[in-house]
Amino acid sequence: DVLRASAYLAVRRWYLTAASLVACGAQLALFTQAPALALGVTAAPVLYVAWANSRYLLRPVLATASTTQ
């Protein structure tokens, strides 16, 4: 149920999914050019953007899952 709902929300809020994919793609491109810079400076902000978008995207699913436990 959670996977189906998350896939639905990923398509419904496509702009958040696209922003996370762009941020991860930029991190991957930077990692191929300058690995030390990519790991040392930009890894934390990119992971935060991906985490924040995922958390906002899945908020309705996570709220219902925590109330049923």
Side-chain angles (χ1 to χ4, degrees), residues 46-64:
V46 168
L47 289 175
Y48 179 76
V49 166
W51 171 78
N53 284 343
S54 298
R55 184 170 178 193
Y56 181 75
L57 180 78
L58 295 174
R59 187 182 308 173
V61 176
L62 296 175
T64 59

Side-chain angles (χ1 to χ4, degrees), residues 4-64:
R4 188 173 1 146
S6 62
Y8 170 74
L9 290 171
V11 172
R12 184 174 174 205
R13 295 187 177 162
W14 61 269
Y15 52 92
L16 294 175
T17 305
S20 294
L21 288 175
V22 166
C24 290
Q27 180 69 18
L28 182 64
L30 184 62
F31 184 75
T32 60
Q33 298 298 318
L37 182 65
L39 290 177
V41 177
T42 63
V46 168
L47 289 175
Y48 179 76
V49 166
W51 171 78
N53 284 343
S54 298
R55 184 170 178 193
Y56 181 75
L57 180 78
L58 295 174
R59 187 182 308 173
V61 176
L62 296 175
T64 59

